[in-house]
Amino acid sequence: MQKYECDVCGYIYDPAKGDPDNGVKPGTAWEDVPATWVCPDCGAGKQDFSPAQ
């Protein structure tokens, strides 16, 4: 699955790991991450992420 990188701080969202501390279960595809989710490192919105290279 495609990983996504925060344009602000460089945090990588890995769908295989999810973000369980913030309610996103492992195996959650980027498209299924809630629109209200924010970067756990810097608080940037989902719109501030781009596909990781």
Side-chain angles (χ1 to χ4, degrees):
M1 282 193 274
Q2 176 68 54
K3 296 179 183 180
Y4 282 78
E5 181 175 2
C6 179
D7 298 331
V8 177
C9 74
Y11 169 85
I12 301 289
Y13 174 77
D14 181 348
K17 296 179 182 177
D19 183 16
D21 291 343
N22 293 295
V24 181
K25 295 179 181 177
T28 302
W30 181 249
E31 296 76 22
D32 298 327
V33 172
T36 56
W37 180 83
V38 296
C39 177
D41 286 352
C42 75
K46 192 176 170 187
Q47 71 279 0
D48 293 317
F49 279 70
S50 301
Q53 299 299 321

